[in-house]
Amino acid sequence: MNLEQAITDLMNNNRQTINGHTFTVPAPDLYPFQWLWDSCFHAFFLSKFDLKQAKAELSAVVGRPTASGMFPHIINWNYESGEPLPVPSWGREGRGEEINLTWQTPGNSSQTQPPLVATAALKVFKQDPDIVFLRSLYGALRQHFTYLANERTFTDESLVYIINPDESGEDNSPRFDNSLGLPPQHSPAEHLDKRLGLLHQFAVCDYSASSCMSSHFGVADVAFNVLYAEDLVAMAEIAHLIGYPEESKEYVQRAAEVQVDVLTNLRQGDIFFSYDRVKSTPIAVLTWNIFMPLYGGFVTQAEAEVLVREYLFNPKYFWTDYGVVTTAKTEVAFDPENGFWRGSIWHAPHWFIYHGLKRYGYLVEAELIKQKSLKLIEQSGFREYYHPETGAGLGAKNFTWGGLVLDMD
Ligand code: GLC
């Protein structure tokens, strides 16, 4: 198979242009909208062979923020064009109508997803030093970061809090079970009800995140905060490049503060765990998130060695013939078959782990992760996630994240 051609075809098939905004949907049947971190993933690998579309993807994703400046995790562009709204096959069977799923901007979701846009923009810029493009994104980016810093933090620290598991990008990861009041075993419908219930509670308190975050749901997620710090570093570089040295310093400073707070408040021995503000407790559930400090360069070489040898490549916890499971096999919640984020293998975690390993000089190990991703695609095609014991493709078909292998070099 010519991989680049297969990915190009997949992306072209999933591409949409609505009202002049061109973007790629993650999977036409299941996810027929623009998604925030998906579009950043797209920009990462499109920057290798289709710069025009990489830029379009990012321009669209910053193009419809909420009035508070937040980038929503879903943009339903049809809403703006007046075209009929697509109904995804997971269609919320009417439940969405009872709940105010939208906050401030019709057609936008009321939640965000991990911050990656600045990193993606910089990556595109490194392939094509188009300063006009960077400038065109900067205002919206700045507002999003101002929103996160002002509305998603508590006064005693710089960590940002998510208000729903969906914001982590890992909708049903077991690290949120306890915060949702769910036992390790429950049905997908029970889980969805809890998440929709949260949206309802936040709608009632008008998304005043600071008060809702200490009463309903407020989690300082490890991956989200590592990515936040990394994106702040990218913001600093962008601000510097386009001639805003004071703002650049501001981002450098904030990134350093976030890093200190991740190291101080989220570390439990060798492992970094997310923190539940409502229950005032660390979330001691082993998910692939424990490797995100490698991606952000937050640990020493000796600490990295522990994560890599004792956890990552250890078949007792995370390692399988097909790569890294999203939830450790030792967790009671581990469910590789139907678990979604509860044990199957996904391409994006592989991509983050690959770059984390490279950052610490684990070149052979990083290559191994890439080979596992390639093997999954060769065996089962472009699927949303995969069974860790058989490599069978699961979830959405024609799912775009497999394209990330083109950005493993
Ligand atoms: C699923 C994933 C989420 C992704 C979305 C669209 O909800 O959990 O991370 O953004 O699909 O692909």
Side-chain angles (χ1 to χ4, degrees):
M1 158 167 69
N2 177 337
L3 189 62
E4 188 173 312
Q5 189 56 50
I7 292 170
T8 304
D9 292 346
L10 170 73
M11 295 302 281
N12 288 343
N13 284 334
N14 288 15
R15 180 116 341 117
Q16 293 192 5
T17 298
I18 301 178
N19 251 11
H21 306 282
T22 303
F23 57 94
T24 317
V25 303
D29 293 342
L30 214 50
Y31 305 117
F33 311 112
Q34 183 171 29
W35 254 266
L36 177 53
W37 80 336
D38 300 64
S39 277
C40 296
F41 297 149
H42 299 162
F44 289 148
F45 60 86
L46 285 171
S47 71
K48 302 284 158 105
F49 61 94
D50 187 352
L51 274 165
K52 183 165 171 267
Q53 184 50 35
K55 290 181 188 175
E57 202 82 33
L58 296 180
S59 298
V61 93
V62 306
R64 213 164 187 276
T66 63
S68 295
M70 184 191 84
F71 295 150
H73 94 300
I74 300 172
I75 303 178
N76 184 347
W77 285 105
N78 292 63
Y79 206 96
E80 202 175 89
S81 69
E83 296 289 318
L85 303 183
V87 181
S89 51
W90 40 266
R92 293 179 163 168
E93 288 103 32
R95 280 181 289 188
E97 280 149 30
E98 300 152 26
I99 294 166
N100 180 7
L101 290 174
T102 274
W103 172 56
Q104 296 182 336
T105 312
N108 284 0
S109 91
S110 47
Q111 314 166 64
T112 190
Q113 257 184 343
L116 280 165
V117 184
T119 305
L122 208 52
K123 196 161 184 125
V124 170
F125 181 80
K126 290 199 167 140
Q127 299 287 331
D128 170 18
D130 175 355
I131 205 84
V132 176
F133 168 68
L134 273 192
R135 281 213 179 93
S136 72
L137 301 181
Y138 185 72
L141 275 165
R142 184 160 173 77
Q143 287 190 10
H144 180 65
F145 280 100
T146 303
Y147 166 81
L148 290 177
N150 290 349
E151 304 297 331
R152 293 305 192 89
T153 56
F154 291 95
T155 47
D156 52 351
E157 60 180 11
S158 304
L159 298 177
V160 288
Y161 282 72
I162 59 172
I163 61 171
N164 193 301
D166 291 276
E167 291 199 324
S168 70
E170 299 170 62
D171 322 12
N172 75 337
S173 169
R175 65 182 187 276
F176 306 113
D177 287 355
N178 193 37
S179 312
L180 292 172
L182 282 169
Q185 262 83 33
H186 53 258
S187 68
E190 282 173 283
H191 201 282
L192 182 59
D193 275 342
K194 287 282 186 188
R195 277 148 51 215
L196 292 175
L198 265 184
L199 286 180
H200 181 62
Q201 288 173 316
F202 271 79
V204 169
C205 59
D206 195 26
Y207 285 84
S208 153
S210 55
S211 64
C212 306
M213 283 183 330
S214 46
S215 49
H216 301 320
F217 186 98
V219 169
D221 195 51
V222 171
F224 200 106
N225 277 283
V226 168
L227 294 173
Y228 178 49
E230 282 291 279
D231 230 32
L232 285 167
V233 171
M235 276 301 277
E237 196 170 336
I238 293 173
H240 171 75
L241 284 164
I242 65 175
Y244 295 115
E246 290 312 312
E247 293 179 9
S248 177
K249 278 189 220 148
E250 197 187 288
Y251 290 121
V252 169
Q253 168 77 19
R254 203 179 306 157
E257 287 165 5
V258 174
Q259 185 168 105
V260 167
D261 284 341
V262 168
L263 290 168
T264 315
N265 300 350
L266 300 184
R267 188 202 290 249
Q268 305 285 322
D270 293 334
I271 308 282
F272 289 74
F273 284 126
S274 301
Y275 183 82
D276 181 332
R277 185 85 181 198
V278 178
K279 297 195 186 316
S280 303
T281 177
I283 303 173
V285 178
L286 282 178
T287 69
W288 73 277
N289 253 233
I290 68 166
F291 308 116
M292 281 305 282
L294 300 172
Y295 177 84
F298 282 33
V299 288
T300 64
Q301 196 69 39
E303 290 163 344
E305 184 70 9
V306 172
L307 289 174
V308 171
R309 302 283 169 232
E310 289 187 20
Y311 293 95
L312 182 57
F313 290 104
N314 185 346
K316 180 180 162 202
Y317 292 113
F318 287 96
W319 191 240
T320 74
D321 276 353
Y322 290 91
V324 186
V325 286
T326 39
T327 294
K329 300 176 200 173
T330 46
E331 291 294 336
V332 266
F334 179 68
D335 176 4
E337 182 97 36
N338 302 307
F340 204 50
W341 284 97
R342 302 169 81 83
S344 44
I345 296 179
W346 291 64
H347 284 294
H350 268 194
W351 182 88
F352 287 115
I353 291 168
Y354 171 91
H355 286 285
L357 287 169
K358 273 189 83 176
R359 190 164 185 157
Y360 282 85
Y362 291 105
L363 304 186
V364 173
E365 290 81 354
E367 180 59 27
L368 189 55
I369 300 287
K370 178 180 176 179
Q371 291 309 321
K372 297 294 181 192
S373 293
L374 286 169
K375 179 167 143 181
L376 288 169
I377 295 170
E378 265 157 37
Q379 184 178 316
S380 302
F382 295 107
R383 297 298 296 268
E384 189 177 8
Y385 50 99
Y386 303 85
H387 195 297
E389 282 143 27
T390 63
L394 298 165
K397 295 186 173 138
N398 302 312
F399 193 69
T400 53
W401 293 15
L404 285 167
V405 288
L406 295 181
D407 189 38
M408 292 180 171
D409 51 20

